[in-house]
Amino acid sequence: MAILLKQATALVIDDFQSMRSMLVGFLKAMEVASIDSAAHAKEALGLLATKKYDIVICDYSLGQGQNGQQILEEAKHKNYIGYSTIWVMVTAEKTMDMFMGAAETRPDDYLLKPITEAMLEARLNKLIEKKRSLEPVEKAVKSKDYQRAIALCDELLKKHTTGTQEIQRIKSDLLITTGDFSAAKAYFESILAVRSMPWAKTGLGKVHFLAKDFARAKEIFQEVLEENKMYLEAADWLSKTLDAMGDLEQAQNVLSKAMELSPNAVARQKNLADAAYKNGDLDLAQASYEKAIKIGQYSVYKSSSTYAGLAKVLTAKDDPEEALKVLDRTREEFKGDPEAALQTAVIEGMAYQKMGDPERAGEALAAAEELMRSQPAGVSAATTMDMANALFKLGKKDEACSLLENVVKNNHENAGIIKMVAAAFEDAGMGEEGGELIRKSSQEVVNINNQGVILANEGKFEEGIKLMRQALQNLPNNDLMLTNLCGMMIGLMSKKGKDDSLIFEARELLERVQKINPSNKKYSAYMSILNKLAPPA
């Protein structure tokens, strides 16, 4: 193991020169091959983006700006680190808020100050062999060759190597990523048959959720929290499950309790704000959005939708002037972000409407419509819904209906979004008319897909591809159509041979699918076929 340490690359992140020097000195004494250091988050993330490190030793408190937890979150979010990187969080703090926040980002180890060389070396030696063994799995995942990654996990598990639980977690995550829910379910159950562990039980609940068995998912997540109330990933999934079941009030309660235990989770705070807004609890929604903005200032989860949410709540609370101030701040914070510009224009329209200024409201929504046309594939269903609601209030019924029709066609299998569309029609006093529009729009998408499937079954792949490409010009976010088009391209290549341009296009389609619906069952299968046809560079 000492040999592995001598071959390692390491990064030390600490704002105090004396502490950096001490930690670098410890690593030099261990004869670590390459050691870099950074005094602040920007410098650290710059290094992590350009160089692979085997070991990162990061102080939790780094003064102004991002803390160690937020650097780790961003490094994971941007794939700067993988399974094989050791991340050791160093801290002098012992507060529950710090511990819960840091624990949720799952560093490999913690070290409480004061630190000695012997202490650090013992921890690194304990981790380095296990982490190095994960390098081939990490490489396969980066190549999106998930079946290969699962096979490598099985090989490691057969060797009874160290870190069995981490390998089991990786394998189970990969089974979910590939959409093989039955295999994932069986795997979680086999682990739980030996020992009840919250991560495995939560994973089993996720499988039931993804398979739309919400009742069983709810039971499992509740069991996890009854056995271990600090396992907050289960709380997040329980809230999501309750939301899917239409129990919005309980979904909000679950998030409120979780925030009491871990008050620095930015994404969860935003979800609580969204839930409170949906429930009409505007005071809690305002407080939660404000807190999410505050704690997320330096987080990778800082989002323009949080600012837009706060402005929307202020407008609903008859304070549109304050909402406009929030929107001005949004423009400053998210300069050059087209989605932020669109969200801002939409909520601005709502605020002017509330102020009784239909002319300026109309101008803002016209600007929003222009922005929407410029990014047809990048507009979220939530922003489109806000836009439609604002247009209804301005009396622009046809424009609003057209937007909602597009939302339905792009999400015809998403029950939650269809429910929100139906509610928008109800609010506009068009429940019956809206219900008919939803039915017809959904059927239209089904008919196009069926037509494409018939053509593919008849071996008429070129005609099917032409049909799907045309349909996707108007429905760029329909993951069913995207995967069907990809399947037809693969079918055509199986008939006529490999085509690099089709492989390139199919990979782009699958990237879009993964963003829209990460649990799409066909994603992994199609990506594996493409990787066999042309291994990724």
Side-chain angles (χ1 to χ4, degrees), residues 186-353:
Y187 191 58
F188 283 123
E189 287 173 344
S190 70
I191 293 168
L192 292 167
V194 177
R195 184 181 167 198
S196 180
M197 288 180 282
W199 67 267
K201 197 173 254 190
T202 301
L204 182 61
K206 281 159 67 175
V207 171
H208 282 283
F209 176 91
L210 293 167
K212 301 191 188 304
D213 182 359
F214 300 130
R216 181 64 186 133
K218 176 185 166 186
E219 286 175 0
I220 293 172
F221 296 135
Q222 285 175 330
E223 283 173 21
V224 176
L225 292 169
E226 283 165 11
E227 291 165 8
N228 186 348
K229 70 175 183 179
M230 308 302 274
Y231 199 79
L232 298 183
E233 185 184 349
D236 293 331
W237 279 96
L238 176 58
S239 171
K240 197 183 288 193
T241 305
L242 291 164
D243 188 279
M245 296 173 80
D247 192 347
L248 302 181
E249 193 175 334
Q250 278 307 310
Q252 177 184 322
N253 289 339
V254 168
L255 290 172
S256 288
K257 287 179 185 171
M259 287 309 300
E260 289 171 10
L261 295 169
S262 181
N264 295 322
V266 178
R268 186 177 299 122
Q269 187 70 59
K270 160 78 165 44
N271 289 339
L272 173 58
D274 290 342
Y277 179 74
K278 283 184 197 172
N279 285 326
D281 189 345
L282 297 183
D283 288 339
L284 178 61
Q286 180 180 347
S288 298
Y289 280 127
E290 287 172 345
K291 185 169 181 188
I293 288 171
K294 184 179 177 184
I295 62 177
Q297 182 61 28
Y298 302 110
S299 167
V300 71
Y301 297 118
K302 179 179 178 180
S303 165
S304 59
S305 64
T306 309
Y307 289 70
L310 176 58
K312 202 159 60 173
V313 170
L314 289 166
T315 302
K317 290 181 75 175
D318 294 327
D319 194 356
E321 291 85 359
E322 198 58 36
L324 290 175
K325 289 179 188 174
V326 172
L327 294 175
D328 285 342
R329 190 177 158 197
T330 310
R331 288 192 183 89
E332 285 296 313
E333 296 274 354
F334 299 91
K335 272 181 187 168
D337 181 334
E339 187 176 357
L342 173 57
Q343 289 167 338
T344 302
V346 171
I347 309 299
E348 192 174 55
M350 295 166 78
Y352 280 127
Q353 218 168 310

